[in-house]
């Protein structure tokens, strides 16, 4: 109790590298807004201030252009460029922000820097006195646990990707195995991710999947019979997302069903390679106007829901995924979805094969491309099957509704606090 007889607000600190626009960062920002909206005190602890950050409606801070403002506090960007913020210049009593990067004058050699980063985090927790610390991603998670040792603050760490990849390095993997048993909880997104851990850590695991983005929940559903003959893919263009197997599958399908187009949203290091592949197959849309039977590369765009809502089919071809936001979102718009059954099991948690989508077994790229072709063929040949799967896919709107998922987080935190 405080002097006025009011209950003190519970205080949650959320720790991540920055609020740069990425999947994990978006989930943390949404959680920060949710807990703030239901009366919690929330502080975002980030190492850096990124150039391309999510904007929070209830942010208690404001980014400044230069250091001339009397309230300017010097912070660092990920490339260690100096930036400036007013830590009280946003919403009064809004979501707080602290920065934990070592400033140039605080830095020493590599070993010294490691210990100084831990100490700076410890000092931060002692100063802001949270009732619980939530950390996201890789090295942040082990640093959060280590920095809170002896402070009697429960630490919840969240593994956002395939654990074997998030903790691939020998040193980081050893640190994870040593420190995770000391966490109050380990949040994973899928049952497959939980199965990665040994029994000591597994007992600490809690599966809390991603919620569907509000943009997709609130979007109108286009009746299946009114959809365009378009196949879409959404995601970074890279080796892990493996879009080449979709392009190869489509090159066969379009010969039999020339009315269909393939549109890829996203950018990344394999774009040139993928465009060359399309060119060699004679299916690249060079005009950018989406001629029938061509592949169009749209690059990174905003308002994805508006762009894919009228498409008929969505395909995810990843080698590994946590809980794939792009797949949940496509299902929430009523697209007929095909996905690789990749580790660590996110697609398999979402799709019941043949009922609300089609899962492609993990095999060689050649076999997977052929299986995707057969799946496309099945959907294109029989609109009744496609319509039923698309209708069943819409159930994710209820199961993964933000209110449902947020309530799961709240109950979990209440138990730990």
């Amino acid at each position: 109790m405080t002097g006025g007889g009011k209950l003190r607000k519970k205080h949650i600190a959320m720790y991540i590298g920055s609020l740069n626009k990425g999947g994990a960062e978006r989930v943390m920002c949404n959680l920060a807004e949710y807990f703030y909206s239901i009366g919690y005190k929330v502080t975002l602890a980030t190492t850096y201030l990124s150039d391309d950050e999510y904007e929070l409606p209830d942010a208690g801070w404001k980014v400044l252009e230069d250091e001339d403002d009397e309230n300017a506090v010097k912070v660092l960007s990920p490339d260690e460029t100096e930036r400036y913020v007013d830590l009280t210049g946003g919403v009064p009593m809004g979501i707080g922000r602290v920065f934990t990067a070592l400033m140039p004058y605080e830095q020493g050699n590599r070993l010294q820097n490691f210990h100084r980063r831990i100490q700076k985090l410890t000092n931060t927790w002692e100063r802001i006195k949270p009732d619980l610390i939530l950390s996201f991603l890789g090295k942040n998670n082990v640093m959060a646990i280590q920095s809170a040792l002896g402070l009697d603050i429960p630490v919840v760490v969240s593994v956002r990707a395939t654990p074997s990849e998030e903790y691939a390095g020998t040193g980081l993997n050893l640190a994870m195995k040593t420190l995770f048993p000391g966490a109050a909880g380990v949040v994973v997104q899928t049952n497959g991710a939980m199965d990665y851990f040994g029994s000591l850590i597994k007992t600490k695991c809690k599966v809390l999947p991603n919620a569907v983005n509000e943009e997709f929940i609130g979007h109108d559903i286009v009746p299946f019979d009114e959809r365009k003959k378009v196949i879409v893919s959404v995601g970074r263009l890279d080796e892990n997302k493996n879009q080449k197997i979709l392009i190869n599958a489509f090159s066969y399908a379009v010969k039999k069903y020339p009315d269909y187009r393939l549109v890829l949203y996203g950018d990344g290091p394999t774009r040139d390679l993928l465009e060359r592949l399309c060119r060699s197959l004679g299916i690249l849309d060079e005009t950018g106007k989406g001629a029938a039977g061509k592949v169009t590369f749209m690059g990174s765009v905003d308002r994805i829901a508006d762009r894919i809502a009228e498409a008929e089919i969505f395909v995810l071809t990843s080698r590994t995924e946590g809980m794939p936001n792009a797949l949940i979102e496509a299902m929430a718009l009523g697209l007929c979805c095909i996905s690789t059954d990749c580790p660590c099991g996110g697609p398999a948690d979402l799709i019941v094969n043949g009922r609300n989508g089609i899962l492609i077994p993990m095999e060689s790229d050649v076999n997977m491309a052929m299986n995707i072709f057969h799946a496309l063929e099945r959907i294109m040949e029989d609109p009744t099957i496609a319509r039923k799967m698309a209708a069943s896919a819409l159930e994710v709107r209820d199961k993964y509704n933000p209110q449902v998922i947020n309530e799961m987080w709240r109950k979990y935190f209440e138990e730990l606090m």
Side-chain angles (χ1 to χ4, degrees), residues 42-99:
V42 179
T43 303
L44 283 160
T46 64
T47 314
Y48 300 110
L49 176 72
S50 244
D51 292 329
D52 187 26
E53 292 202 339
Y54 289 110
E55 293 182 11
L56 277 71
D58 294 299
W61 71 91
K62 182 174 72 173
V63 178
L64 302 173
E65 292 301 316
D66 54 51
E67 61 184 320
D68 294 336
D69 191 293
E70 61 178 348
N71 296 316
V73 174
K74 188 185 293 183
V75 297
L76 296 180
S77 68
D79 65 0
E80 304 215 330
T81 303
E82 291 181 356
R83 302 283 304 281
Y84 301 92
V85 292
D86 179 351
L87 292 174
T88 57
V91 175
M93 304 299 289
I95 295 168
R97 183 95 180 254
V98 294
F99 294 88

Side-chain angles (χ1 to χ4, degrees), residues 174-246:
L174 179 61
M176 177 270 289
K177 288 177 178 175
T178 304
L179 290 166
F180 270 30
V186 178
V187 173
V188 293
Q189 298 177 78
T190 68
N191 292 300
M194 183 169 66
D195 290 339
Y196 168 82
F197 297 104
S199 57
L200 200 59
I201 297 173
K202 203 170 180 178
T203 58
K204 298 287 182 85
C205 284
K206 177 80 171 177
V207 178
L208 293 173
N210 285 352
V212 181
N213 191 314
E214 295 277 7
E215 178 191 349
F216 293 82
I217 293 265
H219 204 284
D220 291 338
I221 299 162
V222 178
F224 200 80
D225 294 338
E226 296 174 19
R227 292 175 181 267
K228 295 174 181 174
K229 292 189 182 299
V230 172
I231 303 159
V232 292
S233 167
V234 180
R236 179 172 161 80
L237 304 182
D238 63 23
E239 285 295 333
N240 182 59
K241 298 294 184 185
N242 203 18
Q243 288 94 345
K244 68 176 179 288
I245 62 173
L246 170 57

